[in-house]
Amino acid sequence: MQATKTLQDNPRSNAMQIIPVMFCFFSMGFVDLVGSATNFVKEDLNLSASQAGFIPSLVFFWFLIFSVPTGMLMNKIGRKKTVLFSLILTLVSLIIPIFDDTYWTMLIAFSLLGIGNAVMQTSLNPLVSGLINPSKLASTLTFGQFVKALASLMAPYLMAWGAAAVLPTFGLGWRVVFPIFGIMCLISILFLGMTPIKEESPDKVTGVMECIKLLSIPFVALCFVGIMCHVGIDVGTNTYAPQILMERFGLDTAAAVIGTQIYFYFRTGGCLLGSYLLARMSAKVFFAISVGCMLLGMLGLFLGTTQFIVLAAIACIGFGNSNIFSVVFAQALNRQPREKNEVSGLMIMGLIGGTVFPLCMGFAQQAIGVAGAVAVMTVGVAYLALYTTFIHR
């Protein structure tokens, strides 16, 4: 099998390939507009809480359905073409709400956005792995997550700007975010499409069941659960950090949002710092430091008696969790180099942890309060601490 040259072999050529790939990571972040958009859709259409809550749940559902089949698709048409297909799905999903904003239209648009993102996350990471030295994979994926986070940060500000109608938005209001992101997505399609990328040829074309059977490999299974824990902690912190602030310090909903903001800013900053440190130190040591930050954060959530301590704990969790995905994903791909496409599909399927963890946390909260939800997240952090012992340097 003829592998793609690495950055170490041809840095100028591969740098020109990495730049358009990073544009794709930015497009990957468009999916995070769903959270903020749900609030606007609920208000515009006067939806019930259950109707509104169904919208973001679609994103994780499509990860479960499409991740593994995308691994098979990559084997047939290649990684670059699969990423381009995902970008086209994303572009279509962004065009639909420009012309109509009914409930069913929004469900269709967000479903396509979720499917496109599932395909993109599954195919984009292996595409990166073929362009760089394996020792630099974790740091490169982390930088990609930082670029993705920039789009996530932009979305709520663009919606607020559109809703305020400071400048003409052609009657779109908050929906002005869709044409803006649509133009950026089109640029990503053109940029990647014009970039020549030589890919590895798969040894064989596998089926879905053969892909699932890779979970019988102990380390692959460990990585799969690690991804579930990462996403569960991520969604759980975003959901319950404001509730902890409201329960302990009497903050109202608007004020308690600072918990989510603190988490997100430290997670974004952690991605940027991680992209630098992971290129210069052992992944195992860095992962252990990250898990230690999260353990310290969980302790702060349990025992914090002042608002400052709780916010500091949330910051620790955000920073610690910022690089978990990249390290686990890189470890899985590097450990099974001949099945990168299949392993990528399995790892992205692990994002279903974003559904499993909140469900368990909800039951725990009903039983013993918000502390129960924190306990469930702590179990996830404990698992990641155990996973640290299996990481290769």
Side-chain angles (χ1 to χ4, degrees), residues 34-285:
V34 175
S36 298
T38 299
N39 296 319
F40 286 102
V41 174
K42 181 181 179 182
E43 182 178 347
D44 288 352
L45 303 179
N46 195 27
L47 302 178
S48 66
S50 59
Q51 287 177 311
F54 183 65
I55 295 174
S57 67
L58 286 174
V59 175
F60 292 108
F61 174 76
W62 297 122
F63 279 109
L64 176 65
I65 301 299
F66 283 96
S67 298
V68 170
T70 298
M72 309 303 98
L73 181 64
M74 282 190 287
N75 284 338
K76 292 183 178 180
I77 69 173
R79 296 166 186 167
K80 176 183 170 180
K81 289 182 180 179
T82 305
V83 174
L84 286 170
F85 173 63
S86 72
L87 287 168
I88 292 171
L89 285 175
T90 300
L91 179 60
V92 172
S93 74
L94 295 169
I95 291 174
I96 291 174
I98 297 174
F99 301 101
D100 191 26
D101 62 349
T102 63
Y103 181 62
W104 286 105
T105 299
M106 287 299 182
L107 287 182
I108 293 171
F110 289 144
S111 291
L112 285 174
L113 186 60
I115 294 169
N117 201 261
V119 176
M120 194 183 308
Q121 294 220 38
T122 304
S123 54
L124 187 56
N125 293 304
L127 182 64
V128 172
S129 72
L131 299 177
I132 63 172
N133 190 301
S135 65
K136 306 296 183 183
L137 181 57
S139 62
T140 304
L141 292 182
T142 292
F143 185 75
Q145 291 298 309
F146 167 73
V147 174
K148 172 181 178 288
L150 295 179
S152 303
L153 280 170
M154 283 181 61
Y157 289 106
L158 287 173
M159 287 185 229
W161 167 71
V166 177
L167 294 175
T169 58
F170 307 100
L172 291 172
W174 68 270
R175 288 183 293 134
V176 73
V177 69
F178 292 108
I180 292 175
F181 277 177
I183 292 171
M184 294 178 181
C185 187
L186 181 60
I187 292 172
S188 294
I189 293 172
L190 296 175
F191 202 0
L192 181 64
M194 293 186 297
T195 302
I197 296 178
K198 186 177 180 180
E199 300 182 37
E200 303 167 335
S201 300
D203 292 335
K204 59 179 180 178
V205 177
T206 55
V208 173
M209 292 310 299
E210 291 177 278
C211 182
I212 296 293
K213 285 181 181 178
L214 288 173
L215 286 174
S216 64
I217 300 174
F219 188 73
V220 173
L222 286 169
C223 292
F224 178 81
V225 178
I227 294 291
M228 287 188 67
C229 290
H230 156 72
V231 179
I233 294 165
D234 184 64
V235 175
T237 305
N238 275 302
T239 302
Y240 286 93
Q243 294 188 31
I244 292 172
L245 292 169
M246 288 187 286
E247 181 181 280
R248 293 189 188 170
F249 309 111
L251 273 64
D252 59 23
T253 304
V257 171
I258 189 175
T260 301
Q261 293 173 330
I262 290 290
Y263 174 81
F264 196 78
Y265 282 123
F266 273 84
R267 190 176 184 277
T268 303
C271 285
L272 182 59
L273 181 61
S275 66
Y276 174 82
L277 293 178
L278 279 168
R280 292 163 176 79
M281 65 186 298
S282 162
K284 188 168 188 174
V285 172

